[in-house]
Amino acid sequence: FENGLRKEIADGSENWDEEKYVLSNSCLNISDKENNIKTEELLFISCLNSDMCWHILSLDENNLTLSYMGRGNSLNYLRVK
């Protein structure tokens, strides 16, 4: 997640998935927008094209943990340079 672009690659994949994202106080995507999810200042990431939203659980220089609002499962990301 950098400069409004989400880039993701899974182990064994050759190509990166890329999509624009929005950092906000609540989910902005259609599926989660009307679910009355509690708002928290700039702790939600919405990808409008894929209709997905995540809640930021933790963040540091190299690690990011998100809760996917569609299922509630946690996703752990490691910065790749």
Side-chain angles (χ1 to χ4, degrees):
F1 294 89
E2 186 174 52
N3 298 324
L5 186 65
R6 172 187 153 273
K7 292 174 63 176
E8 179 180 62
I9 191 167
D11 189 30
S13 296
E14 293 182 20
N15 298 317
W16 288 83
D17 289 329
E18 294 184 4
E19 183 176 4
K20 291 180 182 180
Y21 71 89
V22 179
L23 185 62
S24 63
N25 298 345
S26 62
C27 289
L28 300 178
N29 63 313
I30 293 170
S31 292
D32 294 305
K33 194 174 187 178
E34 297 177 4
N35 287 342
N36 297 321
I37 297 168
K38 184 176 95 174
T39 61
E40 295 184 61
E41 189 169 346
L42 297 181
L43 286 180
F44 290 90
I45 298 170
S46 297
C47 287
L48 305 180
N49 289 340
S50 61
D51 193 30
M52 297 193 299
C53 180
W54 300 267
H55 180 250
I56 300 171
L57 299 177
S58 64
L59 173 66
D60 64 31
E61 187 175 320
N62 293 305
N63 300 284
L64 171 63
T65 301
L66 303 174
S67 175
Y68 176 55
M69 301 307 290
R71 290 187 214 115
N73 56 315
S74 293
L75 305 166
N76 298 303
Y77 292 89
L78 177 64
R79 180 184 293 246
V80 177
K81 296 181 182 183

XYZ file of all heavy atoms in Angstrom:
656
model
N 0.854 -1.165 0.000
C 0.000 0.000 0.000
C 0.896 1.222 0.000
O 1.625 1.448 0.960
C -0.890 0.007 1.244
C -1.894 -1.105 1.277
C -1.592 -2.322 1.840
C -3.153 -0.911 0.740
C -2.524 -3.339 1.876
C -4.102 -1.921 0.775
C -3.789 -3.143 1.342
N 0.866 1.952 -1.085
C 1.716 3.140 -1.157
C 1.160 4.099 -2.209
O 0.815 3.673 -3.319
C 3.144 2.723 -1.520
C 4.126 3.857 -1.478
C 5.554 3.379 -1.697
O 5.808 2.674 -2.696
O 6.392 3.708 -0.861
N 1.098 5.368 -1.842
C 0.659 6.416 -2.768
C -0.659 6.096 -3.471
O -0.809 6.321 -4.664
C 1.750 6.705 -3.802
C 3.018 7.220 -3.163
O 2.974 7.958 -2.192
N 4.153 6.799 -3.695
N -1.609 5.538 -2.726
C -2.923 5.263 -3.285
C -3.012 4.026 -4.156
O -4.025 3.785 -4.794
N -1.951 3.191 -4.192
C -1.951 1.983 -5.001
C -1.649 0.764 -4.126
O -0.659 0.749 -3.393
C -0.928 2.085 -6.128
C -0.906 0.947 -7.139
C -2.217 0.913 -7.928
C 0.270 1.097 -8.085
N -2.519 -0.241 -4.190
C -2.317 -1.502 -3.474
C -1.676 -2.477 -4.448
O -2.195 -2.745 -5.518
C -3.676 -2.047 -3.011
C -3.630 -3.422 -2.429
C -5.077 -3.902 -2.182
N -5.158 -5.332 -2.229
C -5.338 -6.081 -3.309
N -5.468 -5.526 -4.479
N -5.406 -7.387 -3.229
N -0.517 -2.994 -4.069
C 0.179 -3.988 -4.885
C 0.357 -5.223 -4.024
O 0.798 -5.138 -2.888
C 1.541 -3.468 -5.326
C 1.472 -2.320 -6.302
C 2.827 -1.751 -6.606
C 3.713 -2.753 -7.283
N 5.019 -2.215 -7.680
N 0.003 -6.385 -4.585
C 0.060 -7.620 -3.811
C 0.519 -8.750 -4.719
O 0.119 -8.843 -5.871
C -1.326 -7.922 -3.243
C -1.406 -9.186 -2.449
C -2.801 -9.415 -1.917
O -3.737 -9.567 -2.731
O -2.949 -9.427 -0.693
N 1.368 -9.612 -4.151
C 1.803 -10.804 -4.873
C 1.885 -11.949 -3.870
O 2.283 -11.755 -2.721
C 3.164 -10.581 -5.585
C 3.467 -11.724 -6.540
C 4.273 -10.351 -4.578
C 4.612 -11.454 -7.501
N 1.445 -13.098 -4.281
C 1.501 -14.280 -3.426
C 2.738 -15.096 -3.773
O 3.244 -15.040 -4.903
C 0.247 -15.119 -3.617
N 3.224 -15.838 -2.809
C 4.383 -16.697 -3.018
C 4.112 -17.632 -4.196
O 3.058 -18.253 -4.281
C 4.655 -17.498 -1.749
C 5.970 -18.239 -1.805
O 6.910 -17.760 -2.470
O 6.062 -19.318 -1.179
N 5.026 -17.701 -5.132
C 4.891 -18.547 -6.301
C 4.251 -17.866 -7.503
O 4.242 -18.414 -8.590
N 3.703 -16.675 -7.296
C 3.090 -15.930 -8.405
C 4.146 -15.118 -9.130
O 5.148 -14.718 -8.553
C 2.001 -14.988 -7.886
O 0.958 -15.706 -7.315
N 3.894 -14.859 -10.407
C 4.832 -14.076 -11.198
C 4.403 -12.627 -11.359
O 5.237 -11.755 -11.556
C 4.991 -14.712 -12.580
C 5.671 -16.069 -12.534
C 5.864 -16.653 -13.917
O 5.824 -15.901 -14.901
O 6.042 -17.874 -14.005
N 3.098 -12.362 -11.300
C 2.592 -11.023 -11.555
C 1.963 -10.408 -10.313
O 1.326 -11.094 -9.524
C 1.544 -11.051 -12.680
C 2.129 -11.542 -13.988
O 3.224 -11.151 -14.362
N 1.410 -12.408 -14.658
N 2.141 -9.096 -10.169
C 1.550 -8.347 -9.073
C 0.110 -7.987 -9.416
O -0.195 -7.642 -10.554
C 2.327 -7.042 -8.847
C 3.672 -7.238 -8.233
C 4.829 -7.569 -8.884
C 4.013 -7.108 -6.868
N 5.864 -7.645 -7.994
C 5.387 -7.358 -6.746
C 3.280 -6.787 -5.724
C 6.048 -7.320 -5.527
C 3.946 -6.743 -4.507
C 5.309 -7.007 -4.418
N -0.776 -8.056 -8.414
C -2.121 -7.499 -8.530
C -2.010 -6.050 -8.088
O -1.384 -5.757 -7.074
C -3.116 -8.224 -7.615
C -3.425 -9.625 -8.079
O -3.396 -9.870 -9.294
O -3.697 -10.475 -7.215
N -2.631 -5.133 -8.830
C -2.588 -3.711 -8.484
C -3.986 -3.124 -8.537
O -4.777 -3.467 -9.412
C -1.701 -2.938 -9.461
C -0.246 -3.315 -9.392
C 0.620 -2.458 -10.296
O 0.100 -1.510 -10.934
O 1.823 -2.730 -10.374
N -4.284 -2.241 -7.559
C -5.569 -1.566 -7.525
C -5.449 -0.304 -6.676
O -4.729 -0.286 -5.680
C -6.627 -2.483 -6.920
C -8.003 -1.883 -6.907
C -9.073 -2.843 -6.396
O -8.749 -3.962 -5.979
O -10.236 -2.438 -6.412
N -6.184 0.733 -7.061
C -6.217 1.956 -6.263
C -6.990 1.692 -4.975
O -7.928 0.896 -4.961
C -6.889 3.084 -7.034
C -6.079 3.561 -8.212
C -6.786 4.682 -8.933
C -5.969 5.115 -10.139
N -6.633 6.206 -10.866
N -6.570 2.364 -3.876
C -7.269 2.223 -2.603
C -7.528 3.603 -2.007
O -6.922 4.597 -2.404
C -6.484 1.358 -1.616
C -5.238 2.020 -1.065
C -5.298 2.797 0.092
C -4.010 1.873 -1.679
C -4.162 3.406 0.600
C -2.870 2.472 -1.173
C -2.952 3.239 -0.030
O -1.831 3.841 0.466
N -8.436 3.640 -1.019
C -8.773 4.855 -0.298
C -8.622 4.571 1.192
O -9.155 3.580 1.696
C -10.229 5.297 -0.593
C -10.579 6.552 0.190
C -10.430 5.514 -2.079
N -7.902 5.415 1.896
C -7.740 5.333 3.345
C -8.786 6.260 3.949
O -8.873 7.429 3.579
C -6.331 5.776 3.737
C -5.928 5.651 5.182
C -5.967 4.208 5.637
C -4.532 6.226 5.378
N -9.625 5.732 4.870
C -10.735 6.535 5.386
C -11.148 6.105 6.792
O -10.562 5.191 7.367
C -11.931 6.442 4.444
O -12.382 5.110 4.386
N -12.181 6.760 7.310
C -12.688 6.495 8.658
C -13.674 5.338 8.701
O -14.067 4.900 9.779
C -13.391 7.741 9.214
C -12.449 8.915 9.342
O -11.235 8.775 9.286
N -13.006 10.087 9.491
N -14.121 4.871 7.545
C -15.068 3.766 7.465
C -14.928 3.114 6.091
O -14.258 3.641 5.217
C -16.500 4.262 7.670
O -16.848 5.169 6.655
N -15.583 1.981 5.908
C -15.558 1.315 4.608
C -16.325 2.157 3.599
O -17.431 2.616 3.881
C -16.187 -0.066 4.715
S -15.179 -1.243 5.641
N -15.753 2.322 2.421
C -16.389 3.108 1.367
C -16.910 2.243 0.231
O -17.597 2.736 -0.650
C -15.410 4.140 0.815
C -14.870 5.147 1.822
C -13.865 6.072 1.145
C -15.991 5.931 2.477
N -16.567 0.960 0.241
C -17.021 0.081 -0.830
C -18.506 -0.233 -0.651
O -19.059 -0.143 0.444
C -16.190 -1.194 -0.880
C -16.324 -2.003 0.382
O -16.227 -1.468 1.478
N -16.557 -3.286 0.244
N -19.166 -0.589 -1.714
C -20.618 -0.784 -1.716
C -21.064 -1.870 -0.737
O -22.014 -1.679 0.022
C -21.119 -1.092 -3.141
C -20.926 0.134 -4.022
C -22.578 -1.523 -3.139
C -21.152 -0.108 -5.493
N -20.394 -3.025 -0.716
C -20.837 -4.132 0.131
C -20.798 -3.809 1.617
O -21.650 -4.257 2.373
C -19.983 -5.374 -0.128
O -20.231 -5.867 -1.419
N -19.809 -3.048 2.065
C -19.654 -2.784 3.496
C -20.164 -1.414 3.925
O -20.327 -1.160 5.112
C -18.173 -2.905 3.889
C -17.665 -4.324 3.731
O -18.280 -5.227 4.326
O -16.687 -4.528 3.007
N -20.430 -0.539 2.992
C -20.799 0.844 3.302
C -22.058 0.948 4.157
O -22.144 1.786 5.042
C -20.986 1.622 1.999
C -21.044 3.107 2.165
C -21.071 3.770 0.802
C -20.965 5.265 0.927
N -20.943 5.918 -0.371
N -23.024 0.074 3.929
C -24.295 0.149 4.641
C -24.377 -0.773 5.851
O -25.445 -0.940 6.432
C -25.431 -0.143 3.665
C -25.499 0.902 2.551
C -26.568 0.587 1.525
O -27.303 -0.399 1.712
O -26.654 1.337 0.549
N -23.284 -1.378 6.266
C -23.274 -2.320 7.386
C -23.137 -1.652 8.741
O -22.998 -2.328 9.746
C -22.157 -3.358 7.222
C -22.480 -4.356 6.130
O -23.627 -4.480 5.730
N -21.484 -5.051 5.657
N -23.118 -0.327 8.776
C -22.983 0.431 10.035
C -21.760 0.001 10.850
O -21.830 -0.165 12.062
C -24.251 0.301 10.880
C -25.447 0.907 10.183
O -25.335 1.952 9.551
N -26.588 0.253 10.295
N -20.656 -0.188 10.175
C -19.408 -0.543 10.842
C -18.894 0.671 11.601
O -18.927 1.788 11.097
C -18.366 -1.023 9.807
C -18.872 -2.293 9.115
C -17.014 -1.261 10.459
C -18.082 -2.696 7.895
N -18.441 0.453 12.816
C -17.920 1.528 13.657
C -16.834 2.304 12.912
O -15.998 1.716 12.233
C -17.341 0.917 14.941
C -16.857 1.938 15.948
C -16.406 1.243 17.214
C -14.918 1.018 17.142
N -14.337 0.486 18.365
N -16.847 3.630 13.034
C -15.837 4.444 12.371
C -14.646 4.667 13.286
O -14.786 4.780 14.498
C -16.413 5.808 11.934
O -16.858 6.502 13.083
C -17.567 5.633 10.969
N -13.468 4.685 12.714
C -12.226 4.979 13.418
C -11.355 5.788 12.482
O -11.231 5.452 11.307
C -11.502 3.697 13.823
C -12.271 2.868 14.834
C -11.475 1.656 15.275
O -10.393 1.844 15.836
O -11.951 0.542 15.026
N -10.740 6.811 12.993
C -9.999 7.743 12.156
C -8.907 7.071 11.340
O -7.957 6.516 11.877
C -9.391 8.863 13.000
C -8.807 9.966 12.144
C -8.440 11.187 12.953
O -8.858 11.292 14.114
O -7.723 12.023 12.415
N -9.085 7.096 10.017
C -8.127 6.600 9.027
C -7.639 5.182 9.297
O -6.477 4.859 9.099
C -6.937 7.557 8.909
C -7.282 8.960 8.416
C -6.027 9.808 8.326
C -7.992 8.929 7.077
N -8.548 4.306 9.741
C -8.160 2.930 10.003
C -8.827 1.931 9.061
O -8.850 0.745 9.330
C -8.452 2.547 11.455
C -7.499 3.150 12.472
C -7.877 2.711 13.884
C -6.059 2.756 12.190
N -9.362 2.410 7.933
C -9.979 1.519 6.957
C -9.372 1.745 5.581
O -9.091 2.871 5.188
C -11.495 1.747 6.891
C -12.217 1.277 8.116
C -12.408 2.134 9.183
C -12.676 -0.026 8.215
C -13.068 1.705 10.327
C -13.335 -0.462 9.349
C -13.530 0.410 10.413
N -9.181 0.654 4.862
C -8.681 0.692 3.493
C -9.778 0.108 2.608
O -10.197 -1.034 2.821
C -7.394 -0.130 3.329
C -6.285 0.443 4.208
C -6.973 -0.179 1.864
C -5.054 -0.449 4.290
N -10.257 0.893 1.654
C -11.296 0.431 0.736
C -10.746 0.388 -0.677
O -10.090 1.321 -1.122
C -12.506 1.383 0.765
O -13.103 1.408 2.029
N -11.034 -0.711 -1.362
C -10.743 -0.838 -2.789
C -12.088 -0.880 -3.491
O -12.830 -1.859 -3.371
C -9.930 -2.089 -3.072
S -8.215 -1.972 -2.531
N -12.422 0.209 -4.166
C -13.754 0.351 -4.733
C -13.983 -0.542 -5.948
O -15.077 -1.073 -6.132
C -14.013 1.816 -5.069
C -13.821 2.795 -3.894
C -14.095 4.223 -4.337
C -14.673 2.421 -2.703
N -12.968 -0.747 -6.776
C -13.143 -1.572 -7.978
C -13.423 -3.029 -7.642
O -14.236 -3.673 -8.279
C -11.928 -1.482 -8.897
C -11.829 -0.145 -9.579
O -12.807 0.592 -9.683
N -10.645 0.200 -10.036
N -12.744 -3.568 -6.633
C -12.958 -4.967 -6.255
C -13.989 -5.109 -5.142
O -14.281 -6.218 -4.703
C -11.639 -5.608 -5.830
O -11.105 -4.921 -4.712
N -14.535 -3.972 -4.653
C -15.574 -3.958 -3.616
C -15.102 -4.652 -2.336
O -15.798 -5.483 -1.772
C -16.862 -4.594 -4.151
C -18.059 -4.322 -3.251
O -18.085 -3.271 -2.592
O -18.959 -5.170 -3.197
N -13.893 -4.293 -1.873
C -13.342 -4.889 -0.655
C -12.941 -3.800 0.335
O -12.625 -2.678 -0.056
C -12.137 -5.758 -0.992
C -12.477 -6.931 -1.861
S -11.173 -8.180 -1.992
C -9.840 -7.269 -2.706
N -12.952 -4.165 1.622
C -12.560 -3.244 2.679
C -11.838 -4.008 3.774
O -12.187 -5.147 4.090
C -13.803 -2.546 3.247
S -13.439 -1.368 4.569
N -10.826 -3.366 4.348
C -10.059 -3.945 5.453
C -9.958 -2.943 6.593
O -9.888 -1.744 6.367
C -8.626 -4.283 5.020
C -8.534 -5.260 3.912
C -8.408 -6.614 4.009
C -8.507 -4.985 2.514
N -8.336 -7.183 2.773
C -8.394 -6.196 1.828
C -8.604 -3.810 1.769
C -8.348 -6.294 0.450
C -8.572 -3.892 0.390
C -8.432 -5.129 -0.256
N -9.910 -3.452 7.806
C -9.662 -2.641 9.000
C -8.201 -2.841 9.374
O -7.723 -3.979 9.443
C -10.580 -3.093 10.138
C -10.395 -2.320 11.381
N -9.832 -2.860 12.508
C -10.682 -1.028 11.677
C -9.793 -1.943 13.456
N -10.296 -0.822 12.974
N -7.471 -1.763 9.587
C -6.055 -1.851 9.955
C -5.957 -2.220 11.429
O -6.386 -1.474 12.307
C -5.324 -0.526 9.695
C -5.409 -0.164 8.218
C -3.865 -0.609 10.164
C -4.915 1.234 7.886
N -5.400 -3.405 11.712
C -5.231 -3.870 13.090
C -3.897 -3.426 13.669
O -3.825 -3.033 14.832
C -5.349 -5.394 13.162
C -6.689 -5.984 12.722
C -6.629 -7.507 12.778
C -7.816 -5.454 13.588
N -2.839 -3.527 12.875
C -1.519 -3.069 13.331
C -0.671 -2.711 12.124
O -0.874 -3.216 11.018
C -0.817 -4.137 14.184
O -0.543 -5.286 13.416
N 0.284 -1.812 12.373
C 1.138 -1.310 11.298
C 2.457 -0.855 11.887
O 2.491 -0.155 12.896
C 0.445 -0.138 10.602
C 1.224 0.641 9.553
C 1.530 -0.239 8.349
C 0.448 1.872 9.136
N 3.556 -1.301 11.283
C 4.874 -0.770 11.620
C 5.675 -0.668 10.324
O 5.116 -0.833 9.236
C 5.586 -1.596 12.702
C 5.925 -3.022 12.286
O 6.176 -3.280 11.084
O 5.937 -3.900 13.171
N 6.944 -0.417 10.427
C 7.776 -0.162 9.246
C 7.765 -1.308 8.234
O 7.838 -1.092 7.026
C 9.218 0.124 9.680
C 10.113 0.553 8.552
C 11.500 0.944 9.035
O 11.600 1.587 10.097
O 12.470 0.589 8.347
N 7.659 -2.554 8.698
C 7.752 -3.700 7.802
C 6.550 -4.625 7.796
O 6.473 -5.540 6.980
C 8.999 -4.527 8.136
C 10.257 -3.766 7.824
O 10.440 -3.307 6.704
N 11.116 -3.595 8.807
N 5.605 -4.439 8.714
C 4.479 -5.361 8.849
C 3.149 -4.622 8.862
O 3.044 -3.523 9.409
C 4.610 -6.168 10.148
C 5.886 -6.970 10.173
O 5.984 -7.988 9.526
N 6.874 -6.495 10.916
N 2.149 -5.264 8.294
C 0.799 -4.730 8.269
C -0.156 -5.887 8.529
O -0.064 -6.930 7.877
C 0.505 -4.108 6.901
C -0.923 -3.677 6.603
C -1.363 -2.561 7.547
C -1.045 -3.232 5.153
N -1.056 -5.720 9.508
C -2.075 -6.728 9.778
C -3.437 -6.088 9.563
O -3.740 -5.040 10.137
C -1.960 -7.280 11.214
O -0.665 -7.846 11.392
C -3.006 -8.351 11.473
N -4.224 -6.724 8.711
C -5.554 -6.220 8.354
C -6.604 -7.265 8.695
O -6.340 -8.462 8.671
C -5.632 -5.952 6.844
C -4.627 -4.997 6.243
C -4.775 -4.970 4.726
C -4.812 -3.611 6.825
N -7.805 -6.788 8.984
C -8.964 -7.658 9.119
C -9.840 -7.410 7.900
O -10.287 -6.289 7.671
C -9.729 -7.343 10.404
O -10.906 -8.114 10.471
N -10.067 -8.458 7.118
C -10.904 -8.335 5.926
C -12.355 -8.289 6.382
O -12.854 -9.217 7.012
C -10.654 -9.507 4.977
C -11.550 -9.513 3.772
C -11.620 -8.408 2.942
C -12.315 -10.621 3.463
C -12.442 -8.397 1.833
C -13.135 -10.625 2.350
C -13.202 -9.514 1.556
O -14.014 -9.500 0.455
N -13.042 -7.192 6.086
C -14.394 -6.970 6.598
C -15.405 -7.971 6.035
O -16.386 -8.282 6.685
C -14.842 -5.533 6.304
C -13.939 -4.481 6.918
S -13.645 -4.687 8.685
C -15.255 -4.271 9.319
N -15.156 -8.504 4.852
C -16.078 -9.459 4.249
C -16.180 -10.770 5.000
O -17.219 -11.419 5.016
N -15.093 -11.194 5.663
C -15.072 -12.472 6.369
C -14.601 -12.353 7.809
O -14.792 -13.256 8.593
C -14.148 -13.460 5.633
C -14.696 -13.914 4.339
C -13.819 -15.013 3.748
N -13.846 -14.859 2.303
C -12.815 -14.540 1.558
N -11.644 -14.364 2.093
N -12.942 -14.416 0.264
N -13.895 -11.274 8.117
C -13.387 -11.099 9.470
C -12.058 -11.784 9.724
O -11.545 -11.744 10.842
N -11.483 -12.420 8.703
C -10.194 -13.081 8.908
C -9.054 -12.061 8.854
O -9.160 -11.009 8.253
C -9.973 -14.186 7.875
C -10.075 -13.712 6.445
O -10.979 -12.974 6.092
N -9.131 -14.133 5.628
N -7.961 -12.379 9.534
C -6.793 -11.490 9.572
C -5.821 -11.847 8.465
O -5.603 -13.025 8.168
C -6.086 -11.594 10.922
O -6.913 -11.080 11.933
N -5.233 -10.819 7.886
C -4.240 -10.971 6.828
C -2.965 -10.275 7.272
O -3.014 -9.130 7.732
C -4.753 -10.339 5.530
C -6.108 -10.842 5.045
C -6.652 -9.925 3.972
C -5.982 -12.251 4.526
N -1.837 -10.946 7.152
C -0.552 -10.381 7.542
C 0.287 -10.130 6.305
O 0.485 -11.031 5.490
C 0.181 -11.337 8.488
C -0.584 -11.559 9.762
O -0.893 -10.612 10.474
N -0.925 -12.791 10.049
N 0.780 -8.905 6.186
C 1.602 -8.502 5.052
C 2.998 -8.139 5.523
O 3.155 -7.551 6.589
C 0.994 -7.285 4.336
C -0.305 -7.592 3.642
C -1.506 -7.466 4.324
C -0.319 -7.984 2.318
C -2.721 -7.738 3.695
C -1.524 -8.242 1.668
C -2.706 -8.124 2.367
O -3.895 -8.388 1.744
N 3.972 -8.469 4.709
C 5.373 -8.125 4.959
C 5.846 -7.256 3.814
O 5.630 -7.578 2.640
C 6.209 -9.400 5.047
C 7.697 -9.250 5.221
C 8.025 -8.591 6.562
C 8.375 -10.608 5.140
N 6.506 -6.135 4.147
C 7.009 -5.235 3.107
C 8.050 -5.945 2.261
O 8.949 -6.591 2.769
C 7.649 -4.001 3.743
C 8.207 -3.021 2.697
C 8.907 -1.868 3.367
N 7.931 -1.082 4.086
C 7.594 0.159 3.778
N 8.182 0.759 2.777
N 6.687 0.808 4.470
N 7.899 -5.828 0.957
C 8.847 -6.385 -0.001
C 9.511 -5.215 -0.688
O 8.844 -4.339 -1.208
C 8.136 -7.283 -1.041
C 9.126 -7.788 -2.073
C 7.417 -8.424 -0.360
N 10.832 -5.195 -0.678
C 11.556 -4.087 -1.305
C 12.158 -4.524 -2.602
O 12.467 -5.629 -2.842
C 12.649 -3.578 -0.365
C 12.063 -2.994 0.894
C 13.134 -2.480 1.797
C 12.483 -1.952 3.081
N 13.426 -1.366 3.984
